[in-house]
Amino acid sequence: MKKSLSFFIIGVLISFCAISQSIVITSPNGGESWPGCTQKTISWTAAGTSNYYSIDYSTTGGSSWTSIASFYNTTNGTYSWTVPNVSSTTCIVRVYDANNPTISDVSNAVFTVIGPLILTLPNGGETWQGLTQKSINWTASGTSNNYNLEYSINAGATWSSIISGYSTTLGTYSWTVPNTPSDAALVRVTDYSNACMTDKSNNLFSISAAQPTVTSPNGGESWIAGTAKTITWNSATYTTVNVAIDYSVDSGATWVSVLTSTPNDGSQAWVMPNNPSTRSLVKISEYGNPAVYDISDAIFTIAPYITLTSPNGGENYLGCEIKTIAWTAGNTSGQYTIQYSTDNGVSWNTIVQNYATALTACSYSWTVNNLTSASCMIRVFDLFDVTKTDQSNGSFTITATNNVVLNSPNGGENWKIGYTNPIQFVMSGPTTSVKISYSTDNGTNWIAITTNTSGVSYNWSVLNTPSTTSLIKVEDRLNACNFDQSNAVFTIAPHITITAPNGGEYLYGCNSSDISWIAGGTSGVYKIEYSTNNGTSWNIITSSYSSSTIANTYTWGVLPNISSNNCLIRISDAGNPAKTDVSDANFTMAAS
């Protein structure tokens, strides 16, 4: 009898313990409809728990879960939840004891979360042509009715604004599609006042280019200079009021205008320029919007009145030797300008400007310039009609007679104005002294640095002539044909460089101290500041100190009476704040 009573008591205790440890969700427990991005209360009753809870939600009926809160401490069984911006009819919530996950409960049935903002168009798969008007559509509930609209052309990696703060209750916006072709486009709509309320295209859509199409000349034609031809394009399928027409003789590297504006009627008569080339193209672009264009599918030929026969490509010449430039001509004045290029025709240098010959087969004896380049070309044109011209079909090579060899600067250097840099060279053979010059316009003009120096190096204090197309030329003082110049351009750099205080100095408050710097290529007016907190904030010493020298000094009259080990000086060009310098390291200011 006693054993039976003991078993009964133990069973009651076990049953009591099991009943006392429980969690029962009361809301949301099935059937609710909650808008996304709103505050709702999750509630439950609990017994025998640790009062620390973890709360999850699922939009897939429990096949996957997302955490709402972990180790949330409460004794009243409620949690204020910002409902996520999702749309689902299979949502449930799960609550469990964070210290004993076996004590848990799940919503008895699914409930619904309604997304407050749903983009419906474009939603994926569309193809929208650039520069056309398209409607962006969305549905909204509970929004401010003010929206930010954006688009992406890289699958959402970056976004560009369409409009900000757009006010509407209709859920639609007429968008001029940008002419930025992409197969990875998206649109996003966001409530202006609540960033939680947002939606984007479910899938990628495409933006196709809006452009005309050149139909003639479209590649392979040979049109004689001076004759009348017709340029044609697809005006029937490309609708715009006016177009611009350009042509190129260098495969599109540069363009020359035919007409800046002409009606978009599909054809235009064109008298061929005497600008002979086997690399010609025509371009049709939308008037006022040059980003919308089409180019001939392949190159065509503009046949010349003057035909250069030598050098015409592939030859190898030595500098300072005599070679024959030859061409045939018809219907010219008989007076010619002859030029050479060392950069495949990007720039030209004159050999002779008024060379007269009445022959049909013409020639000129040329003392080859003493330089090294594998990109040389010759150009001949009529002195009185520059449209009558021809140039080498391909590049030829000149190899310098290297009695003078420039080693530095030889291209790519960055030399600061006011600093001294060595011009280094080698002389051989009969050359015993040289003249040194510099150019800031890629060799179009030269300025003498010294007319007579020997040795292997010359220290040059770089002049205040900023340029990214600088060259140095070293030539035999007694034979200008024998020279060498930089293989490529270098930079004479504008700059501001602080020399003091530049780190490590110890300055005393209420005293004066000199601030010094070297500068070039600036406006000559400077803003000077100091910082005592390693550049976090700055204080103005002067905002407009004028100086026209390269080496500059400003006397800081009375230093602030403060103590700091984190001091810096900053000097900026008042006319161009991008030109600036800061002390290389901290200096110290000590209060007196």
Side-chain angles (χ1 to χ4, degrees), residues 48 121 208 237 258 298 306 324 341 462 526 545 549:
L121 188 70
S208 62
T237 56
V258 177
I306 296 174
T324 298
S341 171
V462 181
Y526 303 94
Y545 175 68
T549 60

Side-chain angles (χ1 to χ4, degrees), residues 484-528:
D484 191 22
Q485 69 184 48
S486 308
N487 289 346
V489 296
F490 67 96
T491 297
I492 296 177
H495 69 104
I496 297 173
T497 304
I498 295 173
T499 54
N502 204 28
E505 295 86 350
Y506 203 93
L507 309 182
Y508 293 93
C510 301
N511 291 299
S512 64
S513 179
D514 285 343
I515 300 170
S516 60
W517 67 98
I518 297 173
T522 69
S523 67
V525 181
Y526 303 94
K527 179 181 180 182
I528 307 175

